[in-house]
């Protein structure tokens, strides 16, 4: 099931050519029809590409190429026509003379394609599929409708859902669709799902109460092979007096009005009925405003990256851990965050090549600053070359009740951030059967660099090690070049820096310590690092290493710290 971006039923003016200056997020391909690797595609089928936001049509069409080859013969270009959805987020390519039979065909969109703000496509689109020997000449039909024909006493917030016998061309269907209440046309938005087999129309405003509603779809609606709908479709229903508290939006998605104000504010997604493309489509679509609850019984694993670039997203997995995003050692970053006030609760993220959770980048590759991020009840493990969680230029961000382990570099790192809290979380092997180590950093398993105001509360660090051949000192917690106060309260660190077999690890090295405070490069405002109510034991390293340049006024304050299981304290000139 695939959810496209929300589109208006009125053709209206074209999308704006100017956008807010804050739009620096590169567009991505959300879905395609056919899917990459599909075989037996009809020779007259169109190709539908859905992007995460409205695209600049001229630039995108100029970046599009199609070709086919048969056997070992050279590829031959395929020409055709391009049509766009009303908001320019969905492109349909129709080959002029069809695709050759039994061929390997490729559709490419290069990074010359841009969104309407001029941001280039984040990555080139390369869609390869195999054609069959026949054209599709079967007319599509409507196979289901909700509300049912003749239904009465329907909520005034009810959507209209049509099911089709085959994947449809969304542009032609939307143009041929109408909902009328007492004879007056109703405006709204469209959502496509189930591989373009289900269309949901959501009215822009509540329908009139106690009124006759008529649904129609004309024969201008076509499938992906341009076959016209046969027969035309019509249905009726009657509204009641109030709103429905529960609304079926499509297969696997239910909307809820939790506060009774007539507006849907929670969306429940059954991921056993949805695809990764469907999930990404919901997260991109501003029509799904409110809490998005993900459930799966049995639990599901999606082997795709996830992009959380829409501000205000509140994503919760129930029960906790029922949804896993697995990079399978082939995906660089698994969760990209580019929106403000984003909350993620209960997700499992594992097996990526680089940072498992980090921020999105703009078209120039620069990290997008964010604020208000909340990561809660996560399990994050198995980064192969970098951090498990990496925050950059993040303001007012919270990590809570989260486990990270098997991290090649830092477990959690924050660079250039303001007001960061890490609370009630674990880095390392406490009770995870697949845990080999916590982190393998030569700078800090929990690392704060050029931050302003940090709170670490009741965090535990177990079985983290220093990588062999790494430079300088290594620390369980490192505070480096802090601009503001740092509070380490209730920190528990043990069984780190221990000698272990294998070339990947080494024993404690020069400059290693459980907690490192390094303040270099003047001028810096006075910063206080407060360490209190902690336990440091069995780490085979000094409890504290404090180093700063002359003229830096930073201080370290230690209260109620049990460090009896370590090898003492270490300081350098300039330390207070």
């Amino acid at each position: 099931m695939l959810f496209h971006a929300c589109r208006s039923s009125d053709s209206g003016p074209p999308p704006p050519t100017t956008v807010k200056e804050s739009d620096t997020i590169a567009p991505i391909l959300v879905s395609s029809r056919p899917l990459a690797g599909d075989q037996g595609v009809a020779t007259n089928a169109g190709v539908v590409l859905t992007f995460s936001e409205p695209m600049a049509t001229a630039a995108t069409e100029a970046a599009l190429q199609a070709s086919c080859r048969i056997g070992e013969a050279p590829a031959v270009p395929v020409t055709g026509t391009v049509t766009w959805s009303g908001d320019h987020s969905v492109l349909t390519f129709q080959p002029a003379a069809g695709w050759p039979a039994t061929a390997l065909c490729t559709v490419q969109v290069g990074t010359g394609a841009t969104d309407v703000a001029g941001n280039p496509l984040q990555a080139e689109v390369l869609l390869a599929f195999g054609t069959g020997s026949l054209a599709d000449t079967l007319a599509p039909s409507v196979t289901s409708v909700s509300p049912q024909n003749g239904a009465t006493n329907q909520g005034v917030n009810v959507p209209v859902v049509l099911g089709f016998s085959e994947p449809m061309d969304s542009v032609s269907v939307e143009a041929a669709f109408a909902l009328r209440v007492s004879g007056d046309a109703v405006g709204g938005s469209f959502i496509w799902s189930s591989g373009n087999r289900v269309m949901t129309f959501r009215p822009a405003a509540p329908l009139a109460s106690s009124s006759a509603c008529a649904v129609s779809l004309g024969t201008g609606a076509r499938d992906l092979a341009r076959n016209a709908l046969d027969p035309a479709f019509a249905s009726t229903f009657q509204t009641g007096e109030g709103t429905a508290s529960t609304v079926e939006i499509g297969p696997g998605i239910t909307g809820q009005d939790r506060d009774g104000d007539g507006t849907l504010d929670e969306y429940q997604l059954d991921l056993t009925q949805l695809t990764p493309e469907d999930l990404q489509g919901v997260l991109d679509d501003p029509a799904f405003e409110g809490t998005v609850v993900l459930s799966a019984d049995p639990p599901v694993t999606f082997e795709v990256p996830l992009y959380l670039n829409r501000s205000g997203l509140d994503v919760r997995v129930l029960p906790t851990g029922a949804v896993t995003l697995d990079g399978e050692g082939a995906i660089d970053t698994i969760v990209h965050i580019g929106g403000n006030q984003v909350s993620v609760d209960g997700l499992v993220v594992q097996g990526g090549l680089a940072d498992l959770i980090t921020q999105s980048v703009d078209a120039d590759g620069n990290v997008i600053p964010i604020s208000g991020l909340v990561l809660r009840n996560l399990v994050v493990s198995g980064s192969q070359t970098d951090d498990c969680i990496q925050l950059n230029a993040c303001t007012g961000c919270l990590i809570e009740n989260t486990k990270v382990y098997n991290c090649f570099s830092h477990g959690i790192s924050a660079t250039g951030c303001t007001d960061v809290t890490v609370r009630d979380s674990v880095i390392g092997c406490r009770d995870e059967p697949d845990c080999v180590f916590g982190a393998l950093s030569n700078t800090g398993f929990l690392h704060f660099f050029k931050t302003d105001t940090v709170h670490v509360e009741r965090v535990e660090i177990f079985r983290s090690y220093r990588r062999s051949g790494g430079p300088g000192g290594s620390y369980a917690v490192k505070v480096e070049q802090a601009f503001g106060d740092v509070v380490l309260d209730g920190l528990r660190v043990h069984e780190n820096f221990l000698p272990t077999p294998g070339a990947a690890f080494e024993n404690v090295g020069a400059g290693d310590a459980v907690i490192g405070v390094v303040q270099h490069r003047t001028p810096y405002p006075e910063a206080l690092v407060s360490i209190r109510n902690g336990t440091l034991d069995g780490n085979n390293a000094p409890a504290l290493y404090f180093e700063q340049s002359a003229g830096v006024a930073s201080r370290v304050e230690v209260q109620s710290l049990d460090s009896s299981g370590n090898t003492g304290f270490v300081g350098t000139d300039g330390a207070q």
Side-chain angles (χ1 to χ4, degrees), residues 16-17 63 104 174 195 200 225 380 469 472 564:
T17 56
L104 175 62
E174 291 171 16
T200 300
V380 186
S564 58

Side-chain angles (χ1 to χ4, degrees), residues 254 258 264-269 279 282-295 306-318 337 339-347 371-378 398 400:
T254 301
R258 291 294 189 186
L264 301 181
D265 49 31
E266 180 176 296
Y267 298 91
Q268 298 171 353
L269 280 63
L279 173 58
V282 169
L283 298 177
D284 289 336
D285 194 337
F288 293 91
E289 183 178 357
T291 301
V292 178
V293 178
L294 312 180
S295 63
L306 201 65
Y307 296 83
L308 305 178
N309 291 331
R310 180 160 61 91
S311 292
L313 275 172
D314 180 10
V315 181
R316 304 179 188 181
V317 178
L318 294 176
I337 302 170
N340 295 319
Q341 307 302 318
V342 170
S343 176
V344 184
D345 192 327
L347 189 65
S371 63
L373 174 67
V374 176
L375 301 178
R376 182 178 286 121
N377 299 316
L378 306 189
L398 168 67
E400 185 174 40

Side-chain angles (χ1 to χ4, degrees), residues 99-118:
W99 307 104
T102 61
L104 175 62
C105 297
T106 303
V107 174
Q108 294 176 265
V109 182
T111 53
T114 70
D115 63 15
V116 294

